[in-house]
Amino acid sequence: MPQSSEIAVEFRDVSFEIDRRKILADLNLSIYRGETIVLLGRSGSGKTTMLKLINRLAIPTTGVVSIDDRSTADWDTIKLRRRIGYAIQDIGLFPHFNVSENIGLVPSLERWQTSRIEARVYELLNLVGLEPEVFARRYPHQLSGGQRQRVGVARALAADPPILLMDEPFGALDPITRLELQRQFLYLQQQLGKTVVFVTHDIQEAFLLGTRIGLMNEGNLVVLGTKDELLQSQHSEARAFIACLNAWEMGG
C-alpha cells in the first residue's frame, strides 16, 4: 500500500501526441508520497514519456500533470527539476568529472558550501555501497558498469529531492549485478522513503520493487495495483506478462 495518503504526482486526463500520433491517451494516475510505483510495459508503451511529463522534458497535449498539487506548467522549470532526481540506464556521468564531482554537481549548482557537499558525497557513497576513500576520486572510466550505476543513483539523490525518476536504470547490467542493485535500491527506499517512479519492461523487477504496478499498453494505463492484483488481472496484456514470468520460473 502507499506510504501516505498525500498525492505527490498526479496525471489528470493527460494525453500526449507527436505529429498527431497519440503516445499517451487520457491518462489518470495519482502517485502517493513515499511509494514506489513501477511503470511496466513493452517498448513504446508510453512509460518513458510519462517520466518526461513529470520533469517537464515534455508538455502534455491535453490535461494536467501536477507536482504537490501544482501544475508543472506553473513551476519554474529549473526549480521543478531540482526537486526531482533522475537515474537512467546509460547513467550519463560526466567523463571529465571524478565521482565526487559528478555526485556533487547539483548541490554545487545550488551553492552548497564545499564542506557540506563533501559530507553529502561521502554519505551517499556509503549509502550505495561504495567506499568513499576508494571511489570518490576515481573517474567514470575507472569504474565497472555496476559501480557507475551506483554513482548515477547517488547523483540523482545528491540534493535530497523528494521525487526520484528511474528509467530502466539496471537494464544494461548482468543478472547478478542487477539483483545486487535491486536489493540496494530496496534498502535505500527503506532508509529514505522517496516518491519513486520506476520504469521497466521486466515483470520480475516490477514485482520486486513496486509498491504498486502500472501496466502500460499502447499509451494506455490498463492495470494499476499491487503485485497480487496484477496477477489476478484478466487483461490480455497482463496475461502476456504473467506468461513470461511463468515461462521463466519453469525454465523456458
Side-chain angles (χ1 to χ4, degrees):
M1 294 296 292
Q3 299 300 302
S4 167
S5 60
E6 295 180 35
I7 296 173
V9 180
E10 187 170 27
F11 291 77
R12 295 196 300 273
D13 300 318
V14 171
S15 295
F16 181 76
E17 298 179 7
I18 298 177
D19 298 328
R20 298 186 180 179
R21 182 170 65 91
K22 191 157 280 191
I23 309 300
L24 292 173
D26 304 318
L27 179 67
N28 287 280
L29 173 64
S30 296
I31 301 170
Y32 296 95
R33 197 175 311 280
E35 80 166 324
T36 297
I37 188 159
V38 175
L39 301 177
L40 174 68
R42 308 186 199 205
S43 297
S45 61
K47 310 182 300 296
T48 296
T49 299
M50 289 177 66
L51 295 192
K52 291 180 177 179
L53 289 169
I54 293 172
N55 71 356
R56 226 179 158 204
L57 287 173
I59 307 297
T61 304
T62 59
V64 176
V65 180
S66 298
I67 307 292
D68 294 336
D69 204 29
R70 181 180 177 189
S71 170
T72 55
D74 296 333
W75 280 88
D76 175 85
T77 303
I78 293 174
K79 289 182 179 179
L80 174 68
R81 290 177 184 163
R82 289 184 182 171
R83 287 178 57 83
I84 299 171
Y86 204 67
I88 58 178
Q89 184 177 129
D90 60 9
I91 308 155
L93 299 180
F94 293 105
H96 56 291
F97 283 7
N98 64 29
V99 166
S100 180
E101 291 165 336
N102 266 288
I103 296 173
L105 179 61
V106 173
S108 67
L109 292 173
E110 294 281 358
R111 300 188 179 185
W112 289 20
Q113 292 184 348
T114 301
S115 58
R116 183 184 176 196
I117 294 173
E118 184 173 338
R120 181 64 173 164
V121 167
Y122 273 55
E123 174 189 7
L124 286 169
L125 284 173
N126 280 315
L127 203 58
V128 300
L130 296 174
E131 296 178 46
E133 295 79 7
V134 175
F135 290 98
R137 303 305 167 196
R138 289 188 182 178
Y139 286 82
H141 73 273
Q142 297 173 310
L143 306 176
S144 70
Q147 290 166 349
R148 288 196 297 272
Q149 199 64 64
R150 289 171 189 262
V151 174
V153 172
R155 186 177 65 178
L157 293 168
D160 200 21
I163 298 169
L164 184 61
L165 308 181
M166 306 186 77
D167 194 355
E168 300 195 49
F170 313 138
L173 301 173
D174 65 84
I176 294 172
T177 304
R178 184 172 187 168
L179 182 58
E180 288 175 353
L181 286 182
Q182 289 167 345
R183 289 172 173 165
Q184 187 76 39
F185 169 80
L186 287 172
Y187 168 77
L188 287 173
Q189 183 61 341
Q190 290 170 356
Q191 299 299 308
L192 303 176
K194 301 292 183 184
T195 303
V196 181
V197 187
F198 192 109
V199 162
T200 186
H201 59 261
D202 182 339
I203 189 170
Q204 288 179 281
E205 186 164 68
F207 280 3
L208 179 64
L209 303 182
T211 308
R212 290 187 298 158
I213 300 163
L215 178 62
M216 300 294 298
N217 183 39
E218 297 181 347
N220 295 284
L221 182 63
V222 295
V223 181
L224 175 65
T226 63
K227 168 184 172 179
D228 288 339
E229 287 169 332
L230 182 62
L231 285 170
Q232 294 165 12
S233 172
Q234 295 306 306
H235 191 281
S236 58
E237 191 70 1
R239 302 320 302 173
F241 269 95
I242 291 163
C244 295
L245 181 67
N246 291 339
W248 182 89
E249 288 177 344
M250 293 173 64

